[in-house]
Amino acid sequence: MNNKNFTSGVSDATVFKAELARIKHRQKYKRVLKSTVFTLIVVAAVAVLVATLWMPVLQIYGTSMTPSLHDGDIIISVKDTEPETGDIIAFYYNNKILVKRVIAGPGEWIDIDGEGNVFVNSVPISEPYLSEKALGECNIEFPYQVPEAKYFVLGDHRSVSTDSRNTAVGCVSEEQMVGRIVFRVWPLSAFGKAD
């Protein structure tokens, strides 16, 4: 008579059940891990797709939009091909993305005097977002009519911004637009609507 199982206090059936439970637990763990990894990959792919196609995330470089936006700010834009006056937009220019404010739309007349006061269709516009006015880098003649399907844009820091006042940048077409800036996510101290 074999007394091995009786002396150890554990039967072969108990050892077999424990091993079977361990194997089932490992298989369940692998299934949950695979499912979790797959879900994370799908969510990341969807987030990248949304960020690329509908809501590009951009970082501000330079000071042409101060005091509204600062160097290093991270912003979210929304694809929008018909911005309104006062909207901040991002657009492609020479393989770079610039961020400026829309001042006038297609067919409107722009005039800027020596002190930097801006007139659209002979009416002075209110610009509460400016900390100082300046004529800045300007090599176009005023009054200037915005061409069809284009937008006249200016940086908020007028003395340093290169924008539609200069033929190097000129007016922005709808095809150049990345999107309208709607939200600032960084720095956290300035988290909120970008305007």
Side-chain angles (χ1 to χ4, degrees):
M1 184 172 210
N2 187 351
N3 291 333
K4 246 184 183 181
N5 290 337
F6 295 113
T7 57
S8 67
V10 178
S11 69
D12 286 340
T14 305
V15 170
F16 178 74
K17 285 180 183 178
E19 184 64 19
L20 186 61
R22 189 179 68 77
I23 290 171
K24 284 183 178 179
H25 178 72
R26 186 184 311 159
Q27 290 173 340
K28 183 179 178 185
Y29 177 78
K30 285 181 182 178
R31 279 194 310 269
V32 168
L33 183 62
K34 283 181 185 177
S35 174
T36 302
V37 169
F38 177 75
T39 302
L40 289 174
I41 289 172
V42 169
V43 167
V46 168
V48 167
L49 188 63
V50 166
T52 303
L53 296 178
W54 296 291
M55 296 180 68
V57 176
L58 308 167
Q59 184 171 10
I60 300 295
Y61 292 99
T63 60
S64 72
M65 284 302 292
T66 56
S68 301
L69 299 171
H70 301 279
D71 187 36
D73 285 0
I74 297 176
I75 53 177
I76 295 176
S77 64
V78 174
K79 294 282 185 178
D80 194 354
T81 56
E82 292 189 28
E84 296 178 4
T85 300
D87 287 346
I88 301 172
I89 62 166
F91 60 95
Y92 292 107
Y93 168 73
N94 284 349
N95 295 324
K96 293 189 285 187
I97 295 179
L98 299 182
V99 176
K100 307 290 180 191
R101 188 177 301 273
V102 175
I103 300 300
E108 293 185 303
W109 285 89
I110 298 289
D111 198 3
I112 303 176
D113 66 19
E115 286 82 44
N117 296 305
V118 179
F119 301 84
V120 176
N121 297 326
S122 301
V123 177
I125 63 170
S126 172
E127 298 184 286
Y129 40 81
L130 295 182
S131 59
E132 63 175 303
K133 294 181 179 183
L135 182 57
E137 287 187 48
C138 181
N139 67 1
I140 63 172
E141 286 190 34
F142 292 109
Y144 174 83
Q145 186 175 25
V146 182
E148 285 304 312
K150 299 218 177 201
Y151 295 86
F152 191 90
V153 296
L154 295 174
D156 288 355
H157 192 174
R158 301 282 162 80
S159 60
V160 300
S161 179
T162 302
D163 43 43
S164 294
R165 295 171 293 177
N166 193 304
T167 54
V169 175
C171 291
V172 178
S173 68
E174 293 177 2
E175 294 80 33
Q176 291 176 271
M177 289 186 202
V178 174
R180 182 172 46 88
I181 308 307
V182 292
F183 209 74
R184 181 182 1 223
V185 294
W186 187 262
L188 292 178
S189 60
F191 186 85
K193 188 176 179 218
D195 48 343

